[in-house]
Amino acid sequence: KVLASSSARAKIVKQLMTSAKRTGLDGINVDFESMTEEAVPHFLEFLRELSIECRERGLTLSVDNPPPQNYTKYYNRKEQASVVDYVVIMGYDEHYNGSEEAGSVASLPWVIEGVEDTLKEVPAEKIIHGIPLYTRLWKTSAGIVTSEAISMPQAQEVIEVHKVETYWNKEVHQNYGKYEEGNDVYEIWLEDADSIAEKVKLVPKYGLAGVAEWKLGFEDPGIWSVINENLSTK
């Protein structure tokens, strides 16, 4: 309803510009999720209107999108890219809270598919590759699968406390670990220096604009050097 109203869109844009000036922002990142097909034309109009104001003020405008799937094809990433500076791929949540089976948050083949499918609609120089700084600790109890999102340091703590032996899974390109407590089975697909390096290497490989992360505060401090080292071709 908000996006369909020109006056509501104008009010949002005005508020954003006021906040940007007050706080000295470099740019604005737009993240509208779970949009209906009916809402997308209004969303695109919102991006057009916002982009005009951002350009006048020298603000960088980016918009987040999940990796292309059948249920998000109507997002019209091509049109988004025509009005914003960058399209950010949220390259995570392959398996999420509520998934019926345990699995990686962002296996490399799934991530690559998301990048390549986005490239069909968006120029490489406008794509920012979003990577996860979190993982999920999966628990299977009496056939019921649940999970919780944990940070990189928390994941390492789980490995150490439970003395979990991990191994490099070549299919997902991540270190994987499994342990049991009573009748419960725990699994984890780690996001660590090894897996992050593999994901960041996609930026120079495909000529993408850069990398983004979700979310700040979940990282191991050393991961920034890993990201920097793998952002350029050698």
Side-chain angles (χ1 to χ4, degrees), residues 2 13 44 80 88 120 143 172 210 233:
V2 171
V13 171
L44 292 172
Q80 290 183 39
V88 183
K120 295 173 183 177
V172 297
T233 54

Side-chain angles (χ1 to χ4, degrees), residues 209-227:
V211 66
E213 300 82 23
W214 179 262
K215 73 176 183 171
L216 193 62
F218 270 38
E219 76 279 5
D220 179 293
I223 205 65
W224 300 117
S225 61
V226 174
I227 290 173

Side-chain angles (χ1 to χ4, degrees), residues 170-199:
K170 294 181 180 179
E171 292 184 6
V172 297
H173 289 250
Q174 287 176 279
N175 287 304
Y176 167 82
K178 179 179 180 180
Y179 66 96
E180 298 181 10
E181 278 190 350
N183 294 322
D184 300 333
V185 177
Y186 293 83
E187 295 176 273
I188 191 166
W189 284 259
L190 291 169
E191 290 297 350
D192 54 18
D194 295 329
S195 69
I196 294 299
E198 294 287 299
K199 292 176 175 64

Side-chain angles (χ1 to χ4, degrees), residues 112-151:
I112 290 174
E113 182 180 8
V115 170
E116 292 182 344
D117 285 347
T118 301
L119 281 166
K120 295 173 183 177
E121 297 184 76
V122 182
E125 64 271 16
K126 281 202 166 190
I127 295 177
I128 292 179
H129 176 36
I131 61 175
L133 299 180
Y134 69 96
T135 187
R136 286 191 169 274
L137 178 61
W138 295 88
K139 176 182 177 182
T140 302
S141 180
I144 298 174
V145 178
T146 58
S147 69
E148 62 173 319
I150 59 176
S151 67

Side-chain angles (χ1 to χ4, degrees), residues 54-70:
C54 284
R55 277 195 298 272
E56 287 185 358
R57 292 164 176 79
L59 298 172
T60 299
L61 178 61
S62 61
V63 58
D64 297 341
N65 281 267
Q69 303 284 342
N70 288 333

